[in-house]
Amino acid sequence: MTSAAAVGLGATLLPRGLRAAEFSYKMANNLAVSHPMNTRLKEAADKIREGSGGKVDIQIFPNSQLGGDTDMLSQVRSGALEFFTLSGLILSTLVPIASINGIGFAFKDYDQVWKAMDGDLGTHVRQAISKVGLVAFDKMWDNGYREITSSTKPILKPEDLAGFKIRVPVSPLWTSMFKAFGSSPASINFSEVYSSLQTKIVEGQENPLAIIQSGKLYEVQKYCSMTNHMWDGFHFLANAKAFAELPKAMQDLVQESFNKSALDERADVASMNDSLKADLTSKGLTFANPDPQPFRDALKKAGFYAEWKQKYGDEAWALLEKNVGSLA
């Protein structure tokens, strides 16, 4: 797809009979055009355009075309951008509680994830987000569970992480967790991950399977341990002022359309993960399925959960444990 075509992903010619848009809004994200998120975002934008009689036209800008995550977060706060999807782990630089969904080895499965994030824990986080001039829609989008890859050995037990040189995103939660395992985490931007693995600056990294595939990390890694150590999802964010300018009926249409597409994207990602594992195996990656409980026990013993309980506060931590059981 050409860059011009990609930029206009959500901008299609209006069918005859529809009025010219009264509200021309931009929606941006950091994922490739081919990712299920962008397929479903376009689908929602088309429904909104049709359902509003052409009054609301939302253009989708994928693949970080409007800047990096921190740039786009600034844009959606200032109103230069009306809609944006962002990982709670990155949003935590502005709203600290937003990273709670990424607590290491907290969620045992997707049932726990969605019960918490569609329920009271998610409501608690969305209320905090509303205090910084943003509206977070009810349904989060799935980025996926994160898995650990390595060029040297499979990660089968907590002890395998001792002294392990692993790339992590630039975020305190990641660094804190891997230090609790005795690892040597290095905060490296994703654009430099492939080269840092290739030159052995680090032995491994951790990401959802879709990113391991799209980044061709299988070329410089031998093992993938399905640790599911951290669940990562995207909040759908709106600039509060721009969203308030929409008539109530159109606000409802926009929210309902994007929330419905979020549910469809979750199913897409689940299906995609099954095929990704087979594809990555065919490309030479060896998979392992470690038991998560010893990792959870090691984090508890190291004081990781107690530290983050203190940072998030008793109320938020109680909502987390209500859904996943006792951690700290």
Side-chain angles (χ1 to χ4, degrees), residues 167-185:
R167 174 269 173 178
V168 296
V170 184
S171 167
L173 186 58
W174 270 280
T175 303
S176 170
M177 182 176 74
F178 283 102
K179 280 187 174 177
F181 286 122
S183 305
S184 299

Side-chain angles (χ1 to χ4, degrees), residues 40 44-45 47-48 252-262:
R40 296 300 183 177
K47 287 180 181 177
I48 291 163
D252 293 343
L253 173 64
V254 169
Q255 287 215 60
E256 288 168 7
S257 298
F258 282 119
N259 284 335
K260 169 65 167 62
S261 285

Side-chain angles (χ1 to χ4, degrees), residues 17-234:
L18 293 184
R19 306 179 199 177
E22 292 179 23
F23 302 94
S24 294
Y25 284 175
K26 298 188 293 292
M27 189 282 146
N29 65 83
N30 65 2
L31 294 180
V33 174
S34 59
H35 191 280
M37 173 186 278
N38 277 307
T39 304
R40 296 300 183 177
L41 286 172
K42 182 183 184 302
E43 186 177 81
D46 290 343
K47 287 180 181 177
I48 291 163
R49 190 179 301 108
E50 182 180 353
S52 67
K55 291 180 180 179
V56 182
D57 181 52
I58 300 172
Q59 295 186 49
I60 313 296
F61 293 82
N63 207 27
S64 300
Q65 289 177 12
L66 301 186
D69 284 337
T70 50
D71 294 330
M72 291 189 284
L73 179 58
S74 295
Q75 290 173 46
V76 78
R77 292 191 73 203
S78 70
L81 177 62
E82 287 80 19
F83 301 110
F84 177 41
T85 50
L86 183 64
S87 163
L89 298 160
I90 298 171
L91 181 58
S92 67
T93 57
L94 177 65
V95 184
I97 191 63
S99 65
I100 196 167
N101 62 265
I103 284 292
F105 294 93
F107 293 105
K108 296 180 177 69
D109 53 40
Y110 270 114
D111 286 343
Q112 287 189 347
V113 168
W114 300 131
K115 183 182 176 186
M117 302 318 296
D118 288 343
D120 45 14
L121 180 60
T123 298
H124 183 80
V125 174
R126 289 186 286 275
Q127 287 172 346
I129 293 171
S130 70
K131 295 174 183 175
V132 296
L134 299 172
V135 176
F137 287 9
D138 289 345
K139 303 299 181 185
M140 289 184 74
W141 298 61
D142 192 17
N143 188 24
Y145 273 106
R146 301 178 78 91
E147 321 296 355
I148 298 174
T149 66
S150 168
S151 61
T152 54
K153 61 185 178 184
I155 303 300
L156 302 175
K157 54 190 183 300
E159 293 77 12
D160 293 331
L161 287 169
F164 185 67
K165 293 185 292 183
I166 184 169
R167 174 269 173 178
V168 296
V170 184
S171 167
L173 186 58
W174 270 280
T175 303
S176 170
M177 182 176 74
F178 283 102
K179 280 187 174 177
F181 286 122
S183 305
S184 299
S187 296
I188 299 171
N189 285 319
F190 186 73
S191 58
E192 299 167 26
V193 168
Y194 187 98
S195 60
S196 66
L197 292 167
Q198 189 175 39
T199 57
K200 311 292 186 184
I201 291 172
V202 289
E203 297 170 71
Q205 64 84 52
E206 49 80 65
N207 260 304
L209 293 182
I211 293 176
I212 292 169
Q213 187 205 43
S214 63
K216 297 187 176 181
L217 302 185
Y218 53 82
E219 294 178 349
V220 287
Q221 298 280 268
K222 292 180 182 178
Y223 305 99
C224 181
S225 299
M226 299 291 286
T227 48
N228 288 350
H229 57 272
M230 183 183 282
W231 177 76
D232 191 14
F234 298 98

